[in-house]
Amino acid sequence: WYQAEPHKDLMEPMPSADERMPRLVAETGARVAPGGVFIEGESWVGQAKAEGGDLTAQDTGTFGDGWSGSSQLFFTPKAAATWFEAEIEVPEEKEWTLSGQFTRAADYGIVRLLVDGNSLGSAFDGFAHSVTLAPRHVFGRLRLAAGKHALRFEVTGKNNASTGCFVGLDGVTLLSARHLETEGATDTLIRSSQGTLASDVSSPGRTGTLLGF
């Protein structure tokens, strides 16, 4: 069939250069690029609800490099069974993979994620002997309708070695599940704190997937 004229175009047209550039969504702290959305954790200060602790933007400059915007959302409950919740805006209905970029420290707790009231994936243990930016934690894949959805981060307890239940959230990533499959991307997400294009070269034999966070 392929030899018959005219040949069928098997490749989707590439978006224009302007469409491929990341853009900042006003007043949301979210960066949008083909394939996904990255939301700065500290952008939720003054917007998110919290139970059992305070939410502040914490400067991470003294911790080292790697934190997006040199800041994080810092939740400081005194015990477990506490939570904070914020809304995200999903651009279109489809399968999404949701992950969080967290900080680890000696007084950090264990946190799980609920999306619209439903638990997603495994909990994240924030304990470490020193302050460090953890590898991104992939909570899982789910289908979301376009529009607003509630993300609740609930502190369920703490590591036996931890002295507290704090949570440090650098940001949340929504990545198109179809984008992951068609581009061959792995759980390694390389993003720029300035919203410029970044290349994921985790797939052998590929020149890289432009993700742009």
Side-chain angles (χ1 to χ4, degrees), residues 42 58-60 63-68 70-75 100-111 124-128 130-137 165-171 191:
E42 62 272 18
Q58 183 183 38
D59 186 348
T60 58
F63 300 156
D65 298 327
W67 283 264
S68 176
S70 297
S71 186
Q72 69 171 356
L73 182 68
F74 191 36
F75 182 47
Q101 190 82 53
F102 293 93
T103 300
R104 284 193 168 114
D107 52 359
Y108 279 31
I110 297 171
V111 60
F124 172 79
D125 186 348
F127 171 76
S130 59
V131 180
T132 182
L133 183 65
R136 76 184 183 104
H137 182 80
C165 292
F166 296 165
V167 179
L169 177 64
D170 188 32
R191 57 178 170 75

Side-chain angles (χ1 to χ4, degrees), residues 8-211:
K8 181 179 179 181
D9 188 358
L10 300 180
M11 300 295 292
E12 295 181 0
M14 178 176 288
S16 68
D18 182 64
E19 291 174 320
R20 297 197 306 271
M21 288 300 292
R23 64 188 188 278
L24 186 66
V25 180
E27 300 178 356
T28 67
R31 296 190 184 96
V32 180
V37 180
F38 175 71
I39 305 165
E40 295 280 0
E42 62 272 18
S43 70
W44 286 338
V45 173
Q47 302 177 28
K49 300 181 292 184
E51 177 73 34
D54 295 326
L55 282 175
T56 58
Q58 183 183 38
D59 186 348
T60 58
T62 58
F63 300 156
D65 298 327
W67 283 264
S68 176
S70 297
S71 186
Q72 69 171 356
L73 182 68
F74 191 36
F75 182 47
T76 54
K78 293 181 172 60
T82 52
W83 52 265
F84 64 91
E85 181 177 300
E87 285 189 337
I88 59 169
E89 184 80 27
V90 174
E92 62 179 300
E93 180 175 356
K94 59 181 173 181
E95 292 279 328
W96 294 95
T97 296
L98 202 154
S99 62
Q101 190 82 53
F102 293 93
T103 300
R104 284 193 168 114
D107 52 359
Y108 279 31
I110 297 171
V111 60
R112 69 167 180 158
L113 174 65
L114 295 93
V115 182
D116 297 330
N118 300 307
S119 182
L120 179 66
S122 61
F124 172 79
D125 186 348
F127 171 76
H129 291 288
S130 59
V131 180
T132 182
L133 183 65
R136 76 184 183 104
H137 182 80
V138 179
F139 286 103
R141 176 186 297 187
L142 74 168
R143 188 168 192 87
L144 293 173
K148 295 185 183 297
H149 295 270
L151 300 188
R152 175 172 291 197
F153 295 86
E154 182 180 285
V155 179
T156 61
K158 67 182 185 69
N159 189 296
N160 290 335
S162 178
T163 60
C165 292
F166 296 165
V167 179
L169 177 64
D170 188 32
V172 171
T173 299
L174 271 174
L175 195 60
S176 167
R178 180 176 179 276
H179 183 82
L180 281 171
E181 293 167 354
T182 58
E183 297 296 340
T186 70
D187 282 345
T188 300
L189 176 64
I190 304 171
R191 57 178 170 75
S192 163
S193 63
Q194 300 304 316
T196 52
L197 289 175
S199 178
D200 181 350
V201 293
S202 55
S203 299
R206 299 193 67 87
T207 56
T209 301
L210 294 181
L211 299 178

